[in-house]
Amino acid sequence: PVIRLVLALSVITGCGDDGDSLRIFDDAGNTVLDVAIDRAETEEERRIGLRGRTLSDKEGLLIVLPAVSDVCIVNDGVTTDLDVLYFDAGLTVTYLERDVAAGDGTPRCHPAGFVLEVLSGVAEDVDVGDQADSD
């Protein structure tokens, strides 16, 4: 099944308040991304996504899916550009969508077990094949 996530970014903060973090390492073991994360684990949390939140360059939203499946990210109504990283079940980066424009309603669909959304440019050093580790 295809899961369609609509992301909207506006004015209240709150990502990363629970102390969780996600680090991504390149094949040499260097940290290429380290952000505080909120987790969207329930169907409702995944549906809401970033709606009603702002992010700093040190924060992200990790969308946790019940199983690896096709996930479509749509940025209708977003006020800030995003980088979107798709991971397999083992937290390996499998697809990247960089600079997803605010207000862009084009679906970006890839198989994933996890999806990380961060501000555009934050994931500039991340490549497909990099490995994540989550607290």
Side-chain angles (χ1 to χ4, degrees), residues 26 43 48 65 73 119:
D26 63 16
E43 185 176 334
I48 292 170
L65 300 155
I73 302 296
L119 291 179

Side-chain angles (χ1 to χ4, degrees), residues 100-112:
V100 179
D104 185 348
T106 306
R108 289 164 173 81
C109 304
H110 302 285

Side-chain angles (χ1 to χ4, degrees), residues 11-71:
V11 282
I12 52 179
T13 61
C15 278
D17 291 341
D18 60 4
D20 286 343
S21 65
L22 185 123
R23 288 174 304 284
I24 301 177
F25 303 93
D26 63 16
D27 59 359
N30 300 310
T31 301
V32 292
L33 180 71
D34 187 357
V35 292
I37 56 167
D38 268 351
R39 294 171 190 264
E41 296 177 325
T42 68
E43 185 176 334
E44 180 70 5
E45 290 168 338
R46 291 188 298 267
R47 185 188 62 77
I48 292 170
L50 290 173
R51 185 174 288 120
R53 299 184 185 193
T54 58
L55 293 175
S56 78
D57 61 356
K58 304 277 188 226
E59 299 172 315
L61 179 67
L62 182 67
I63 298 170
V64 181
L65 300 155
V68 174
S69 61
D70 284 341
V71 179

Side-chain angles (χ1 to χ4, degrees), residues 79-94:
T79 59
T80 305
D81 298 348
L82 299 173
D83 286 346
V84 182
L85 291 73
Y86 299 78
F87 299 86
D88 64 15
L91 286 174
T92 299
V93 177
T94 54

Side-chain angles (χ1 to χ4, degrees), residues 74-134:
V74 180
N75 282 343
D76 291 348
V78 173
T79 59
T80 305
D81 298 348
L82 299 173
D83 286 346
V84 182
L85 291 73
Y86 299 78
F87 299 86
D88 64 15
L91 286 174
T92 299
V93 177
T94 54
Y95 299 93
L96 294 163
E97 293 284 353
R98 299 186 196 275
D99 299 320
V100 179
D104 185 348
T106 306
R108 289 164 173 81
C109 304
H110 302 285
F114 302 90
V115 177
L116 177 67
E117 301 156 345
V118 294
L119 291 179
S120 182
V122 169
E124 69 184 350
D125 295 329
V126 177
D127 290 312
V128 169
D130 289 350
Q131 183 68 43
D133 178 25
S134 173

